[in-house]
Amino acid sequence: MGDCRILIGSPIHRKPNILKEFLKYLPNIESDGLEVNYFFVDDNIEPESTALLSQFSEEHEGVTIIPSNSRNLFMSDEKGTHIWNSNLVWKVAEYKNQIIEFALKNNYDYLFFIDSDILLHPKTLQQLISTKKDIISEIFWTDFKGIGMELPQVWLQDEYSFYYKETEKTSVDINKSITNFLSKLKYPGVYEVGGLGACTLISKHALQKGANFSRIKNLSFAGEDRHFCIRAIALGLDLHVDTHYPAFHIYRESDINRIPAFFESVISQSSRRTYIRNFKSSNNKLTLSMVVKNEANNYLKKVLCEHRRYIDEAVIIDDGSTDNTVEICLETLEGIPVHLIKNDISKFSNEVELRKQQWLETIKTNPDWILNLDADEMFEEQFRTNVRTMINQTQFDVLCFRLYDFWDMEHYRDDELWCAHKTYRPFLVRYQKDFPYKWNELAQHCGRFPRNILLKPYTMSSIRLKHFGWANQSRREAKYKRYLELDPEFKYGSKEQTLSILDKEPNLVKWED
């Protein structure tokens, strides 16, 4: 790729603490055989951000900075709301078109557009060029709503659809297609998509054909990237995403704290293909990990009868039961190795201590895969026939599922406060002894797994998880009382959700197998 000329372009309107991280990591891009120059539009309203750009220009060669012609205020907050209006969108589009004109005039081989809140793996640019695609983005994932579910910046159709609307009609088919698409993007590869943005390499050929960000006047889609993508397809230019070296998105200021863990876990690995080679592809052991306390009269026997169909081993922490919970565990799992640990005094008032104990006792058994379920959770029947495939593959280290909160044995709750089933969460994890697991140090709602496991390659399963913890009135009343006692000031959980536990007429949806 000798003498390949690359222009990295970005309109910049960014808070100094985020821009500082962007400019710190940008020069780390591997550039052997490349001539890399930069073109920035300074649209900042904070003098410190403008100063950071000037400092970057002084410290690096080939940097062009032009001032914007207007500085409209762009707003964002910690809830994840990025506030855009039409004027802001088309101002950015104008700046991007200016950068395109500069790239064409100066005969660059490629133009690489990158938003100023994206951090790149050093190999990104070399990888994107090696694909020989006219338009290709490097993937990154963002928790847009702050609910623990990350989504990519690429899509298949329209404004942001993850399935083909003309082929998938039923909700079951739609959910399956969405799951398959998102899961595929977790595996290193190059895939055709219908929309992309924010971290995109564009060839000179594509620019010469007319790829640009101008508004298509008979199209109402929001965002200049969507107009760029539609125009590109109309010009006969396909869109692709590369997933070998995912980028990091500083969507919130608090994301800055996660940068070291991201680079430690992802950037330090030469590639995921190398990373997954040493895993067993058959005969992996599945270990059930569970915490129980006074579950004898609830759903314990029912769920354990289901789990014993597929687990190889179990680690159970009895957190101070005063009924015959332990006996039910041992009787129901007879014939399966069970490692039982009894806490004479309950640790639930400091949940992270309890979850750490559960984790440490589980990994003492040298598990291949850990299935972490509570005593009132069980999968639908499809899990039985699919679980061996899940744990004997080498592509992913974490499997995420949707959990449905049942309000009786046939209906689950579905409203603004009770929508866990719309989010994928980790329940099945490959244990790796050399990974630096870290916990959320919270007394309540710390999570059942270490907080950084989703830095591992993960995928989403369409198989659903049933949660019966709210499925009768007496249990709801008991949990409501317990939550108020453990967290009276609502430091760790949602006040609105807690107070809604005893709603008299919640919205319930019938479960369909």
Side-chain angles (χ1 to χ4, degrees):
M1 289 184 290
D3 299 323
C4 184
R5 303 183 67 239
I6 313 295
L7 180 66
I8 296 178
S10 182
I12 297 179
H13 181 116
R14 196 65 60 188
K15 294 181 178 180
N17 54 346
I18 295 177
L19 181 58
K20 182 178 180 180
E21 297 296 329
F22 170 74
L23 295 175
K24 179 171 70 175
Y25 285 97
L26 193 58
N28 293 337
I29 296 173
E30 293 183 6
S31 58
D32 292 346
L34 306 177
E35 177 191 335
V36 178
N37 296 151
Y38 305 90
F39 190 108
F40 300 137
V41 179
D42 180 7
D43 189 47
N44 294 293
I45 60 172
E46 298 191 40
E48 186 178 348
S49 295
T50 293
L52 286 170
L53 286 181
S54 296
Q55 181 181 348
F56 185 89
S57 178
E58 294 171 0
E59 295 175 351
H60 300 87
E61 297 181 355
V63 181
T64 299
I65 301 175
I66 66 170
S68 69
N69 51 29
S70 66
R71 284 178 164 81
N72 302 94
L73 181 62
F74 163 73
M75 299 176 62
S76 63
D77 58 35
E78 277 302 298
K79 293 181 180 180
T81 302
H82 283 207
I83 303 169
W84 290 84
N85 60 43
S86 181
N87 290 336
L88 287 174
V89 167
W90 298 114
K91 180 184 74 170
V92 170
E94 179 185 341
Y95 294 153
K96 289 183 176 180
N97 282 344
Q98 285 183 255
I99 298 173
I100 288 174
E101 290 176 9
F102 183 90
L104 287 170
K105 181 178 179 180
N106 291 277
N107 199 34
Y108 284 94
D109 297 296
Y110 289 94
L111 171 57
F112 182 53
F113 275 115
I114 179 171
D115 285 1
S116 55
D117 54 2
I118 303 295
L119 308 185
L120 298 174
H121 188 293
K123 295 181 181 295
T124 300
L125 206 49
Q126 298 278 11
Q127 170 60 28
L128 293 179
I129 294 171
S130 73
T131 67
K132 300 186 184 303
K133 303 297 185 184
D134 282 314
I135 303 176
I136 184 167
S137 287
E138 185 57 54
I139 200 166
F140 60 84
W141 299 78
T142 305
D143 182 4
F144 293 106
K145 295 183 179 180
I147 57 175
M149 182 180 182
E150 294 186 323
L151 294 173
Q153 94 283 15
V154 299
W155 61 97
L156 289 176
Q157 277 192 335
D158 299 332
E159 290 192 90
Y160 196 59
S161 293
F162 297 145
Y163 67 97
Y164 292 110
K165 296 180 180 179
E166 65 270 22
T167 58
E168 309 299 350
K169 302 299 183 184
T170 70
S171 60
V172 173
D173 289 338
I174 290 172
N175 286 331
K176 185 177 180 180
S177 293
I178 291 173
T179 300
N180 289 342
F181 175 66
L182 296 178
S183 296
K184 179 176 66 174
L185 297 180
K186 288 294 179 179
Y187 187 70
V190 175
Y191 308 102
E192 186 171 350
V193 294
L196 46 71
C199 186
T200 306
L201 184 74
I202 309 170
S203 72
K204 177 167 62 175
H205 171 69
L207 298 178
Q208 290 174 335
K209 287 197 71 171
N212 66 72
F213 293 86
S214 297
R215 184 174 188 172
I216 301 173
K217 64 182 181 180
N218 61 341
L219 186 69
S220 64
F221 287 176
E224 80 284 357
D225 283 331
R226 292 170 176 83
H227 292 249
F228 171 87
C229 293
I230 292 171
R231 176 178 284 105
I233 294 295
L235 291 170
L237 298 165
D238 292 331
L239 309 174
H240 292 84
V241 64
D242 179 271
T243 62
H244 286 87
Y245 301 107
F248 183 83
H249 189 194
I250 311 175
Y251 191 64
R252 302 172 180 83
E253 289 186 81
S254 58
D255 289 332
I256 294 173
N257 299 325
R258 299 195 296 118
I259 294 174
F262 174 80
F263 277 85
E264 176 185 3
S265 178
V266 179
I267 301 298
S268 62
Q269 300 159 6
S270 60
S271 75
R272 288 186 181 179
R273 291 191 187 279
T274 301
Y275 172 63
I276 64 179
R277 266 184 201 140
N278 297 324
F279 296 147
K280 292 194 297 179
S281 59
S282 62
N283 300 318
N284 278 299
K285 179 175 68 172
L286 178 59
T287 300
L288 172 67
S289 183
M290 181 179 287
V291 173
V292 296
K293 180 181 179 182
N294 291 336
E295 301 287 351
N297 296 320
N298 297 317
Y299 308 97
L300 180 62
K301 187 169 184 177
K302 177 183 179 69
V303 302
L304 290 180
C305 283
E306 176 64 20
H307 300 333
R308 70 165 291 125
R309 295 171 178 264
Y310 42 75
I311 65 171
D312 302 300
E313 198 167 10
V315 176
I316 296 178
I317 307 292
D318 179 68
D319 194 42
S321 292
T322 55
D323 60 8
N324 64 328
T325 289
V326 169
E327 288 76 9
I328 290 177
C329 290
L330 296 176
E331 290 172 4
T332 308
L333 297 179
E334 184 179 2
I336 295 174
V338 176
H339 303 267
L340 183 68
I341 297 89
K342 295 184 179 181
N343 294 336
D344 293 331
I345 300 175
S346 174
K347 297 182 179 181
F348 191 77
S349 60
N350 186 12
E351 187 182 0
V352 69
E353 181 183 357
L354 179 60
R355 291 300 188 181
K356 283 182 176 179
Q357 179 193 25
Q358 179 190 11
W359 176 260
L360 291 174
E361 293 294 342
T362 302
I363 65 176
K364 283 180 184 179
T365 67
N366 193 30
D368 292 321
W369 285 82
I370 300 171
L371 178 63
N372 194 327
L373 295 176
D374 288 346
D376 50 16
E377 297 170 346
M378 59 184 283
F379 285 101
E380 59 182 332
E381 292 185 6
Q382 294 180 54
F383 188 79
R384 299 178 201 166
T385 56
N386 286 273
V387 64
R388 287 294 147 184
T389 300
M390 294 177 184
I391 67 172
N392 287 323
Q393 50 78 34
T394 58
Q395 298 178 19
F396 306 107
D397 301 335
V398 182
L399 279 93
C400 301
F401 303 84
R402 291 166 295 162
L403 180 142
Y404 289 72
D405 289 311
F406 277 66
W407 234 246
D408 58 40
M409 297 309 290
E410 295 183 351
H411 298 82
Y412 61 90
R413 184 165 176 175
D414 180 18
D415 55 43
E416 183 178 351
L417 295 172
W418 295 87
C419 51
H421 52 281
K422 297 181 180 178
T423 301
Y424 290 84
R425 294 182 173 86
F427 291 93
L428 182 59
V429 171
R430 188 200 309 272
Y431 174 62
Q432 297 163 54
K433 63 180 180 180
D434 295 327
F435 183 74
Y437 295 101
K438 298 178 182 179
W439 287 85
N440 273 328
E441 299 292 338
L442 298 175
Q444 295 295 312
H445 306 294
C446 63
R448 64 184 77 190
F449 281 119
R451 63 175 169 81
N452 59 339
I453 59 166
L454 289 181
L455 292 177
K456 297 290 188 181
Y458 66 89
T459 187
M460 282 74 74
S461 171
S462 59
I463 297 174
R464 299 168 295 176
L465 180 61
K466 303 176 182 180
H467 176 219
F468 297 115
W470 307 100
N472 66 62
Q473 182 68 19
S474 61
R475 292 207 76 191
R476 289 195 289 272
E477 292 174 352
K479 294 177 85 168
Y480 175 80
K481 180 179 179 181
R482 186 175 71 201
Y483 286 154
L484 291 181
E485 291 174 349
L486 294 174
D487 187 18
E489 297 180 2
F490 304 102
K491 293 181 179 179
Y492 308 108
S494 164
K495 177 180 179 179
E496 292 77 11
Q497 186 184 47
T498 300
L499 296 179
S500 73
I501 291 173
L502 300 182
D503 284 353
K504 293 183 179 180
E505 296 184 359
N507 183 58
L508 302 183
V509 178
K510 185 173 177 58
W511 176 268
E512 300 289 345
D513 288 317

